Amino acid sequence: MVKSSPSEDETRTRARTRRAILDAAVEVLAKNRSAPLSQVAAEAGVARSTLQRYFAERADLLAALGDYAEELINEATERARVDEGTALEAFSRLASEYFALRKVALLAFEGESENSAQEEQDCGPGDLALYELVERGHEDGSIDPRITPLWAQQLLWSMLYSGWTYSSIARVPVFESHNMCVMSLVKALARERRD
């Protein structure tokens, strides 16, 4: 008997279940990195055996979080509409979208070594869109031409990390930390106006 390929409904159901598990992992592991996978399964609303069909080992789930973070970054890049308005306005929207990814970004990038820097040709769509955005900003005059695309990327992620931790350190609301983060980034990248 020849097995038929999975139906479109089955494929969508598997994708939804996988995403629910990853979302649950972000919520549970952001609070306690060593939480048991049974907690992740419970948060996702699936049996532990279902979780193990998707991610046989804890290491598989943790590795998948890196890919999931990249997926969410690409979705956030699309929502930021980086082709609309001046490049600096688009960069501000991009920073706001990325700010919302705090939990998954901190989990996915925790423990990355300094040697894990990628070459530009190995970057994902989100990285390339950011590089193009900065270059467009040089052309439209909204981003200081002395700011290289790679520096803008490094500045963005370090400022996001600062913003993510500032609200708990300073005990201020997250929206205040978000506003300070985006304002600081815009000021750092903006081209100086000479009157």
Side-chain angles (χ1 to χ4, degrees), residues 9 19 21 24 42 48-49 52 60 66 68 84 95 99 104 111 114 116 125 131 140 150 163-165 176:
D9 287 341
R19 189 156 185 151
I21 292 169
R48 171 78 190 250
S49 59
Q52 287 182 307
D60 298 329
Y68 188 49
E84 294 179 20
F99 193 89
V104 71
E114 292 175 15
S116 67
Y131 294 159
D140 73 18
L150 185 57
W164 293 331
T165 57
E176 185 177 323

Side-chain angles (χ1 to χ4, degrees), residues 161-172:
Y161 179 80
S162 296
W164 293 331
T165 57
Y166 179 75
S167 59
S168 60
I169 292 169
R171 293 190 171 102
V172 297

Side-chain angles (χ1 to χ4, degrees), residues 97-140:
E97 289 290 341
Y98 284 8
F99 193 89
L101 302 176
R102 176 184 64 85
K103 289 178 184 176
V104 71
L106 290 174
L107 271 175
F109 304 126
E110 183 179 277
E112 277 195 356
S113 70
E114 292 175 15
N115 299 329
S116 67
Q118 295 176 324
E119 298 287 332
E120 185 170 336
Q121 64 267 21
D122 295 336
C123 293
D127 296 317
L128 295 176
L130 174 61
Y131 294 159
E132 290 170 6
L133 177 63
V134 173
E135 289 170 355
R136 184 167 67 86
H138 295 160
E139 292 170 12
D140 73 18

Side-chain angles (χ1 to χ4, degrees), residues 151-184:
W151 180 253
Q153 179 192 43
Q154 296 294 307
L155 183 61
L156 172 64
W157 287 108
S158 61
M159 190 67 73
L160 286 169
Y161 179 80
S162 296
W164 293 331
T165 57
Y166 179 75
S167 59
S168 60
I169 292 169
R171 293 190 171 102
V172 297
V174 172
F175 77 86
E176 185 177 323
S177 183
H178 165 266
N179 292 343
M180 291 181 71
C181 178
V182 173
M183 176 191 65
S184 298

Side-chain angles (χ1 to χ4, degrees), residues 33-146:
R33 180 77 176 192
S34 60
L37 293 184
S38 58
Q39 272 187 280
V40 174
E43 178 78 18
V46 300
R48 171 78 190 250
S49 59
T50 301
L51 185 145
Q52 287 182 307
R53 278 198 306 273
Y54 287 83
F55 306 103
E57 303 288 332
R58 182 183 198 85
D60 298 329
L61 178 60
L62 294 176
L65 285 173
D67 294 336
Y68 188 49
E70 185 71 27
E71 182 182 327
L72 293 177
I73 287 167
N74 293 337
E75 289 173 8
T77 302
E78 286 183 38
R79 283 192 307 273
R81 305 174 330 275
V82 295
D83 294 330
E84 294 179 20
T86 68
L88 193 60
E89 292 166 347
F91 191 91
S92 176
R93 288 191 303 272
L94 185 67
S96 286
E97 289 290 341
Y98 284 8
F99 193 89
L101 302 176
R102 176 184 64 85
K103 289 178 184 176
V104 71
L106 290 174
L107 271 175
F109 304 126
E110 183 179 277
E112 277 195 356
S113 70
E114 292 175 15
N115 299 329
S116 67
Q118 295 176 324
E119 298 287 332
E120 185 170 336
Q121 64 267 21
D122 295 336
C123 293
D127 296 317
L128 295 176
L130 174 61
Y131 294 159
E132 290 170 6
L133 177 63
V134 173
E135 289 170 355
R136 184 167 67 86
H138 295 160
E139 292 170 12
D140 73 18
S142 63
I143 294 179
D144 191 320
R146 297 172 294 181

